[in-house]
Amino acid sequence: ALLLSMQGTEKQLLDQRINRAHATALYTILIFGVLVLFMFWIKLYLFLRIKDEVHERERMDADLVEAKQGLEATNKELESFSYSISHDLRSPLRAVNGFARILESEYGTQFDAEGRRIIDVILRNSEKMSTLIDDLLTFSRIGRGVVNKSMIDMSKLVKKVEADLMMASDHDNMQFSLGDLPDAQGDPALLTQVWTNLIGNAFKYSSKNP
């Protein structure tokens, strides 16, 4: 009876251990299945995310290409427009300037003060218009070039521009004073053009005053 009792107890314990083992195995399989499913969803999410980013990048690249083509077309149109201005406006502008000078030289003595002032206004504005056309064409040519940046001794550059402008015409009644200018990075040719326009305009519009 004792032996049968012990065997029954052992069988119960063995059944319990087997049940626990089965439960542990099922739990382990379940956890493993959940982890596999979770990893699958993560990979799927990353795949879809990367796919979307690739499509977005391709779309952005296509937009950039389209924008670049649009800018190139616009630049060509502006270039064509600039040359059209040069061709179409120079002839009538020269005619206005020429006839104004004829009036000034041949009939200037017949005009009163107001008439002479009007002739002077016509001449000054026609010259200003010619300068604007030249600047527009210069800007158009500069826009097609490559910007080459380097460190520039700005004081030296401005002194050279000033010397060239002084030699180009008579500016004996002017005094040019240059303060300290810091060095700067930029394209020497483009900055030379900037200073030439700036100082040239100062000379031009200050020439009648001591």
Side-chain angles (χ1 to χ4, degrees), residues 16-34:
Q16 291 177 2
R17 286 194 294 271
I18 290 173
N19 291 334
R20 284 198 297 269
H22 286 168
T24 301
L26 290 174
Y27 180 74
T28 302
I29 292 172
L30 179 62
I31 293 298
F32 181 75
V34 171

Side-chain angles (χ1 to χ4, degrees), residues 121-139:
V121 169
I122 294 173
L123 288 172
R124 283 191 288 107
N125 280 277
S126 63
E127 291 173 359
K128 183 178 180 181
M129 186 66 179
S130 179
T131 300
L132 288 174
I133 294 174
D134 291 338
D135 289 344
L136 181 61
L137 293 174
T138 299
F139 181 77

Side-chain angles (χ1 to χ4, degrees), residues 24 28 30 42 46 57 69 71 73 87 91 119 124 134 144 150 162 167-168 174-175 181 194 202:
T24 301
T28 302
L30 179 62
I42 288 178
L46 292 176
R57 181 65 60 85
Q69 292 174 347
L71 286 174
H87 181 270
S91 294
I119 291 295
R124 283 191 288 107
D134 291 338
R144 300 194 302 271
S150 62
E162 181 263 340
M167 291 176 60
M174 294 188 187
Q175 291 183 353
L181 294 176
V194 170

Side-chain angles (χ1 to χ4, degrees), residues 140-157:
S140 175
R141 288 192 294 270
I142 289 173
R144 300 194 302 271
V146 178
V147 177
N148 299 310
K149 288 184 177 181
S150 62
M151 187 60 68
I152 300 172
D153 184 338
M154 199 63 71
S155 296
K156 182 178 179 181
L157 175 64

Side-chain angles (χ1 to χ4, degrees), residues 38-121:
F38 181 68
M39 292 299 296
F40 171 77
W41 280 111
I42 288 178
K43 289 183 177 180
L44 180 62
Y45 170 77
L46 292 176
F47 171 77
L48 294 176
R49 181 71 179 270
I50 292 173
K51 185 178 180 180
D52 290 341
E53 289 182 357
V54 169
H55 288 164
E56 181 67 16
R57 181 65 60 85
E58 291 175 349
R59 186 188 64 78
M60 291 177 63
D61 290 343
D63 290 343
L64 287 174
V65 170
E66 184 178 356
K68 180 181 178 183
Q69 292 174 347
L71 286 174
E72 290 175 350
T74 301
N75 286 337
K76 289 181 180 179
E77 290 176 0
L78 288 174
E79 197 173 318
S80 176
F81 178 68
S82 298
Y83 284 103
S84 176
I85 287 178
S86 173
H87 181 270
D88 295 340
L89 293 186
R90 283 189 183 279
S91 294
L93 188 61
R94 281 194 295 266
V96 170
N97 186 273
F99 282 114
R101 291 191 180 280
I102 290 174
L103 286 174
E104 182 185 39
S105 62
E106 296 186 7
Y107 301 97
T109 57
Q110 301 179 26
F111 292 126
D112 58 9
E114 180 63 14
R116 287 191 294 272
R117 187 191 69 81
I118 292 174
I119 291 295
D120 185 60
V121 169

